[in-house]
Amino acid sequence: MGETKLRILELYSGIGGMHYAAELANVGAEVVFSVDINTSANEVYRHNFKQTNQQSRNIESLSANEINKLKPNVIMMSPPCQPFTRVGLKLDVEDSRCSSFLHLLEVLPHLETVSFVLMENVVGFETSEMRNAFTKALKSCGFYFREFLLSPVSLQIPNSRNRYYLIAKKFTNFTFGTETDIMTAFPSNSCDVNMPSVEQSTLEPYLEKSFADEELARYLLPAKTLVKYWRILDVRQRSDISSCCFTKAYTHYAEGTGSVLQHDSSESFREKFAEFEKDGNVAHLKPLQLRYFTPREIANLMGFPAQFSFPENTSLRTRYRLLGNSLNVHVVSSLLKILLE
């Protein structure tokens, strides 16, 4: 790719998952401008990427003229997913949160230097009116595209996070797949898939190594949560090779928001739960030390590097919420390499 770096415009940048993915891909590309409207996410982004021009503003305020001055070659984005989620109202293009994305589609034909697009969203986007509008806009601007439904599990990462991805490029078509198929695995001819450096896909390597007692206490499940929700908790052991998707409501709601961990693996999970079931005494469960995964552990599973951190003033609840809204760095990085190869 020579000396000149590809220039990335990062939209709906969140806490910087796309930026880290671009760094990990190591494809000679740099983020030149980054935009998000969420002030908490922007604080975390700026804390980690002090050199990047990151602006807190509505994407609808970005004109084609302003974008063209930045001369971006690549747009990476993760637009609001609430209009398409399984728990949302599924208002699709009628949802006001789609207006910034619709604005982008209007601007797209006037962008002079953009040749590549990578987009992430929730499963459900692929059947939406917004997806139809997006692919139609891409085609009319001369882009070829491919769509995927992928989870980190396909990279041997022990965490489920099935998401919709689209990659698009101008000038040359892809050598795999078609525009009518949604792929559920990385293309078999691609050697550009980023396997994490962890050999075994158990949870153990992703976990924090040591806990002070007061630190552990901070993450233990409250007794009332155990009593009320023990039947629906997704309890994992360190040796497990999978975990459920962590959502923005993790720790706030018990059902379907992410797995919990048995911190003390020397105890028998089945025995303790059987004892608890007999007499309802929650003390039986105490030796298991059932706890929430920490924000650092979730960040590890999502592929954020060791140097990623939150500002000290970011509350625990906000950390979980921001991670739940983020993306898997390894999956995006692998797709970026495929797109730019």
Side-chain angles (χ1 to χ4, degrees):
M1 291 191 187
E3 291 300 305
T4 48
K5 285 195 165 189
L6 286 172
R7 297 168 65 82
I8 298 172
L9 170 63
E10 185 186 21
L11 303 175
Y12 314 97
S13 51
I15 57 174
M18 291 276 185
H19 195 141
Y20 279 121
E23 287 186 353
L24 180 64
N26 194 23
V27 285
E30 64 179 339
V31 175
V32 293
F33 195 75
S34 165
V35 186
D36 202 299
I37 203 166
N38 183 315
T39 48
S40 325
N42 290 340
E43 279 173 22
V44 178
Y45 190 106
R46 290 170 193 157
H47 176 73
N48 288 283
F49 298 108
K50 295 176 174 64
Q51 309 306 315
T52 303
N53 183 357
Q54 203 279 340
Q55 295 197 5
S56 190
R57 56 191 277 200
N58 192 323
I59 282 163
E60 286 172 78
S61 69
L62 278 177
S63 66
N65 190 32
E66 185 178 358
I67 294 173
N68 285 331
K69 282 178 183 168
L70 295 164
K71 297 186 170 64
N73 313 106
V74 186
I75 291 178
M76 298 180 76
M77 58 178 165
S78 183
C81 61
Q82 295 93 331
F84 317 107
T85 55
R86 72 189 164 88
V87 291
L89 296 171
K90 295 197 175 172
L91 294 173
D92 205 337
V93 289
E94 302 301 318
D95 194 302
S96 61
R97 287 167 292 196
C98 282
S99 55
S100 61
F101 192 38
L102 289 166
H103 167 72
L104 272 180
L105 302 192
E106 286 172 21
V107 166
L108 192 62
H110 310 288
L111 301 184
E112 295 158 0
T113 55
V114 175
S115 303
F116 303 96
V117 176
L118 189 155
M119 186 265 224
E120 182 259 13
N121 215 286
V122 289
V123 173
F125 183 87
E126 73 282 6
T127 58
S128 68
E129 283 304 310
M130 183 55 104
R131 177 263 172 202
N132 296 341
F134 184 34
T135 53
K136 188 179 173 184
L138 287 169
K139 276 182 173 174
S140 71
C141 293
F143 282 90
Y144 299 95
F145 67 86
R146 292 292 182 270
E147 296 170 284
F148 301 83
L149 291 177
L150 296 170
S151 174
V153 175
S154 60
L155 295 178
Q156 278 72 60
I157 298 167
N159 180 239
S160 165
R161 194 177 188 84
N162 209 28
R163 291 291 183 270
Y164 168 89
Y165 299 93
L166 180 145
I167 55 176
K169 61 179 176 176
K170 280 185 175 176
F171 311 121
T172 55
N173 204 344
F174 294 92
T175 56
F176 58 85
T178 69
E179 289 185 356
T180 52
D181 294 334
I182 294 186
M183 301 175 70
T184 54
F186 288 97
S188 54
N189 64 342
S190 174
C191 56
D192 283 329
V193 169
N194 264 324
M195 291 294 187
S197 56
V198 176
E199 286 177 21
Q200 275 185 306
S201 59
T202 68
L203 288 169
E204 181 72 53
Y206 297 88
L207 303 177
E208 296 198 56
K209 299 294 173 267
S210 58
F211 276 89
D213 287 349
E214 66 273 14
E215 186 71 1
L216 177 60
R218 193 181 182 198
Y219 296 104
L220 290 174
L221 271 71
K224 63 180 181 186
T225 302
L226 290 172
V227 170
K228 194 171 179 184
Y229 298 109
W230 66 279
R231 287 180 191 277
I232 57 168
L233 289 173
D234 182 68
V235 180
R236 301 290 166 141
Q237 320 287 323
R238 295 164 178 276
S239 56
D240 281 350
I241 57 168
S242 63
S243 57
C244 289
C245 179
F246 296 99
T247 75
K248 65 179 183 180
Y250 188 59
T251 74
H252 191 55
Y253 293 113
E255 188 171 8
T257 60
S259 303
V260 298
L261 185 75
Q262 181 181 330
H263 187 74
D264 186 343
S265 43
S266 66
E267 297 285 347
S268 165
F269 169 77
R270 283 206 171 90
E271 278 175 25
K272 294 297 175 192
F273 267 86
E275 288 169 12
F276 170 66
E277 205 170 4
K278 272 182 202 160
D279 62 11
N281 184 352
V282 75
H284 293 304
L285 303 180
K286 202 173 178 189
L288 298 172
Q289 294 184 318
L290 297 176
R291 69 165 176 86
Y292 294 110
F293 283 75
T294 69
R296 179 67 256 177
E297 291 167 339
I298 296 172
N300 291 344
L301 284 163
M302 291 174 74
F304 282 79
Q307 72 266 25
F308 167 77
S309 65
F310 287 96
E312 276 184 29
N313 64 345
T314 311
S315 72
L316 193 57
R317 176 133 183 233
T318 300
R319 293 177 192 210
Y320 283 125
R321 185 167 51 78
L322 292 172
L323 284 165
N325 279 334
S326 192
L327 46 82
N328 190 285
V329 172
H330 284 291
V331 176
V332 174
S333 176
S334 297
L335 286 171
L336 186 63
K337 288 173 90 170
I338 291 165
L339 174 61
L340 300 178
E341 69 182 351

